[in-house]
Amino acid sequence: MIENITRPTLLLDLKKMESNIDSMIEKADRLNVKLVPHFKTHQSKEVAQYFRKKGLRSITVSSVLMAEYFVKHGWQDITVAFPFNRLEVGVINGFISQGVNVKLLITDVDTVSFLGKELVGAVDLFIELDAGYHRSGVNTNHIDEIRAIASEMAKSDNTKFYGLYCHPGNTYHEDSIDRIKSLWRDAIEKVNEVRLNLTDLGKDVVIRMGDTPGCAVVEDMKGVDEIGPGNFVFYDLVMNYLNVCDESNIAVAVACPIVAKNDERKEIVIHGGAVHFSKDHLFDESEQKFFGEMVILQEDGWSNIVPGAKLVSISQEHGILSVSDRLFDTLKVGDVIGILPIHSCLTANLMNEYVTLSGQKFEHM
């Protein structure tokens, strides 16, 4: 399979992927929370089948377009985890007509009112809460605003209050497992305080939380009913550098041909740039920015990360590898090496197709 690679190719190790899925399912069962996996990372009908095979039927997506793709491929219980875009209400009505169970995220009273008038049938609604990430959602301190949104839902049979949704995405910026756990404890406390303030409305309110760092390392999930992580299916270098996963859990690598060598600078030029990896980056111990780390491709996957070999610069199609003198002398133009991505979600989105280690091709929506 490796011998047939001629251009940047996203490789998928199915054994690692399935092990990642199994581990998260086991954890959810052990902690008595429902796993509603986020499909934004893989966006693939073939990868989705591995979740179906494990008995999961409820999923999360990040756009109505993604929901359309998975409805087309037989998924009937879908949460669109993004503040609802009113311009797409026609698509939601199409889902309702097909019998799809749709859950939407709401952050204001007017959108609830709009849905109550425009929907042709009932949908479940989450109130999205902001417990400190400051991306989207209603601040957990704004109880009156949250109660107003919940009260508006009661005015129409089409707007059913399902629960509270919180994505503590600031975990991605923490520097230790203890800090991730502390951030989650704080978020769980804040969201449950909101739930307590809604009890007089007579609703059984579900709490769903989702981000891979928290879902992977937090063991105390008392007060949480559902979790919706996504990145865990593949993991990546960000997760590895956070100590959320081991290097051996990373299930994707980009195979890149070496196209040139610069003797003076001891740099390797690969076909693999921003259109393959994005410009997401990390910093090493010397504060050097890098965009991926090198592995050696093998018939059964790839090696551990090669020390002293980092993707230090990218433009549209070019990637520049900084390597040791020994590696520079060993690697040849025409060789194909592997790069572990900083952010597997964006890399998968840019690459548009997976090739498994046995040569199967999986589509990306």
Side-chain angles (χ1 to χ4, degrees), residues 28-91:
D29 289 344
R30 175 165 49 84
L31 299 182
N32 195 32
V33 293
K34 181 180 179 180
L35 175 61
V36 189
H38 207 313
F39 280 11
K40 71 179 179 66
T41 298
H42 62 80
Q43 300 183 47
S44 167
K45 71 181 194 302
E46 289 93 351
V47 173
Q49 285 302 107
Y50 282 80
F51 287 90
R52 192 187 297 277
K53 185 172 67 173
K54 307 292 181 180
L56 278 72
R57 295 293 181 268
S58 302
I59 66 171
T60 310
V61 298
S62 57
S63 68
V64 173
L65 178 65
M66 201 180 300
E68 287 183 284
Y69 173 80
F70 285 108
V71 166
K72 178 182 176 182
H73 294 291
W75 294 87
Q76 293 287 298
D77 187 340
I78 301 179
T79 300
V80 182
F82 188 84
F84 178 64
N85 172 12
R86 300 184 199 182
L87 302 179
E88 294 183 297
V89 68
V91 180

Side-chain angles (χ1 to χ4, degrees), residues 6-142:
T6 60
R7 57 184 58 152
T9 301
L10 184 56
L11 302 179
L12 172 57
D13 187 322
L14 292 177
K15 288 183 180 179
K16 291 181 178 180
M17 181 193 78
E18 192 161 11
S19 175
N20 294 339
I21 295 171
D22 286 342
S23 293
M24 193 60 75
I25 290 174
E26 182 277 328
K27 181 169 188 178
D29 289 344
R30 175 165 49 84
L31 299 182
N32 195 32
V33 293
K34 181 180 179 180
L35 175 61
V36 189
H38 207 313
F39 280 11
K40 71 179 179 66
T41 298
H42 62 80
Q43 300 183 47
S44 167
K45 71 181 194 302
E46 289 93 351
V47 173
Q49 285 302 107
Y50 282 80
F51 287 90
R52 192 187 297 277
K53 185 172 67 173
K54 307 292 181 180
L56 278 72
R57 295 293 181 268
S58 302
I59 66 171
T60 310
V61 298
S62 57
S63 68
V64 173
L65 178 65
M66 201 180 300
E68 287 183 284
Y69 173 80
F70 285 108
V71 166
K72 178 182 176 182
H73 294 291
W75 294 87
Q76 293 287 298
D77 187 340
I78 301 179
T79 300
V80 182
F82 188 84
F84 178 64
N85 172 12
R86 300 184 199 182
L87 302 179
E88 294 183 297
V89 68
V91 180
I92 302 302
N93 280 332
F95 291 160
I96 294 169
S97 299
Q98 295 175 62
V100 177
N101 180 7
V102 186
K103 297 178 178 66
L104 303 175
L105 267 59
I106 300 300
T107 60
D108 65 273
V109 169
D110 288 347
T111 298
V112 178
S113 177
F114 171 85
L115 288 171
K117 297 171 184 175
E118 298 296 329
L119 289 174
V120 298
V123 299
D124 291 326
L125 300 179
F126 279 104
I127 300 176
E128 184 185 9
L129 299 181
D130 174 14
Y133 185 26
H134 303 324
R135 183 179 67 176
S136 61
V138 185
N139 190 303
T140 51
N141 293 324
H142 297 173

